[in-house]
């Protein structure tokens, strides 16, 4: 009989203790989890890099003697770039200068004359504006374009005459860039360069109007100087 009473007392005490603990837990303030840091790529700073790509163009030749010919030169290109980005929240503004060695060339025959076009190099100085999505950057660009050209023909002289020229025009483009490492990013972009029409003389008392546009697709790698990451809650 005594043993039964002791067991009942212990069971009653245990039950009351469990009820008290449950009530205390219900009244306790909720436990807050520690904030999780989400890494966000910082596009601020200077960068430099290199690129390879492919270019093609349209060259139209016209003169007062009835010449009206077009050719579509094309070829590979490679070069480098340098620039600076300034990030304002999700927006990224910048400036970039690049230069490419070019193998863009091609020609045609018109009115019994050979016409050859070579773009030896191109260069652009552009402003960039884009939006960052963490490690992704989508941007547009526009500015000034330069091209080193070589034109040759046998239309005006017994032999072939070659003329070199530096053209100045304008460019627009767009691209996407991805930061695949703390200071490294890869980009793919398209550039359109328009150099308008310019008169070229291959012989005395001759003038040939050459109109020129160049398209280029470039794949590049950039290295950014400065701190690569910032913390965001």
């Amino acid at each position: 009989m005594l043993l039964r009473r002791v067991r009942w007392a212990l069971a009653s005490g245990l039950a009351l203790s469990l009820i008290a603990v449950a009530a205390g837990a219900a009244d306790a303030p909720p436990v807050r989890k520690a904030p999780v840091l989400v890494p966000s790529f910082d596009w601020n700073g200077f960068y430099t890099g290199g690129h390879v790509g492919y270019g093609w163009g349209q060259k139209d030749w016209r003169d007062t003697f009835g010449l009206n010919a077009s050719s579509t030169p094309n070829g590979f290109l490679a070069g480098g770039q340098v620039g600076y980005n300034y990030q304002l929240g999700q927006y990224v503004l910048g400036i970039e200068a690049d230069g490419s060695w070019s193998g863009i060339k091609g020609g045609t025959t018109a009115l019994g004359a050979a016409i050859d076009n070579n773009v030896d190099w191109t260069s652009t100085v552009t402003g960039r504006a884009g939006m960052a999505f963490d490690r992704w950057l989508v941007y547009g660009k526009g500015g000034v374009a330069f091209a080193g050209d070589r034109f040759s023909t046998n239309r005006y002289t017994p032999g072939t005459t070659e003329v070199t020229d530096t053209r100045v025009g304008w460019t627009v483009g767009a691209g996407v860039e991805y930061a695949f490492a703390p200071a490294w990013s890869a980009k793919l972009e398209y550039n359109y360069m328009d150099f308008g029409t310019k008169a070229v003389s291959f012989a005395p008392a001759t003038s040939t109007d050459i109109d020129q546009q160049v398209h280029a697709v470039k794949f590049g790698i950039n290295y950014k100087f400065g701190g690569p990451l910032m913390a965001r809650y």
Side-chain angles (χ1 to χ4, degrees):
M1 187 71 176
L2 179 60
L3 181 59
R4 182 180 299 176
R5 290 180 180 178
V6 172
R7 289 178 178 176
W8 176 256
L10 290 175
S12 300
L14 179 60
L16 291 174
S17 299
L18 292 175
I19 293 173
V21 170
D27 295 335
V31 178
R32 294 184 178 181
K33 294 182 178 180
V36 178
L37 294 178
V38 179
S40 177
F41 191 78
D42 179 10
W43 291 93
N44 283 296
F46 290 96
Y47 63 88
T48 186
H51 63 262
V52 295
Y54 187 79
W56 67 98
Q58 176 78 27
K59 305 264 192 172
D60 299 321
W61 292 46
R62 294 178 176 84
D63 65 15
T64 57
F65 304 104
L67 178 66
N68 188 352
S70 297
S71 66
T72 55
N74 58 84
F76 292 96
L77 54 87
Q81 65 272 351
V82 62
Y84 178 80
N85 286 325
Y86 180 67
Q87 186 169 0
L88 294 166
Q90 194 176 5
Y91 300 98
V92 179
L93 305 176
I95 185 170
E96 182 178 273
D98 71 4
S100 305
W101 167 87
S102 166
I104 301 174
K105 58 184 178 180
T108 188
T109 301
L111 300 178
I115 293 171
D116 290 308
N117 303 280
N118 294 271
V119 181
D120 292 331
W121 57 268
T122 64
S123 179
T124 66
V125 178
T126 57
R128 298 204 316 172
M131 293 190 68
F133 302 91
D134 194 8
R135 291 179 174 270
W136 288 94
L137 174 65
V138 180
Y139 62 88
K141 60 190 299 187
V144 183
F146 307 88
D149 290 323
R150 283 186 296 120
F151 306 111
S152 62
T153 183
N154 59 359
R155 174 170 170 76
Y156 306 101
T157 58
T160 299
T161 302
E162 182 177 88
V163 174
T164 59
D165 189 25
T166 299
R167 307 288 290 266
V168 181
W170 56 271
T171 181
V172 293
V176 59
E177 192 166 352
Y178 176 70
F180 61 88
W184 293 92
S185 61
K187 69 173 184 176
L188 180 66
E189 70 174 39
Y190 163 78
N191 299 150
Y192 171 78
M193 293 168 273
D194 194 317
F195 298 98
T197 302
K198 187 176 181 180
V200 178
S201 178
F202 292 91
T206 66
S207 179
T208 303
D209 291 332
I210 302 178
D211 185 70
Q212 173 176 306
Q213 294 84 37
V214 176
H215 308 260
V217 174
K218 303 174 183 176
F219 172 77
I221 300 290
N222 286 327
Y223 177 82
K224 186 176 73 70
F225 301 94
L229 293 175
M230 60 183 179
R232 181 177 62 197
Y233 291 92

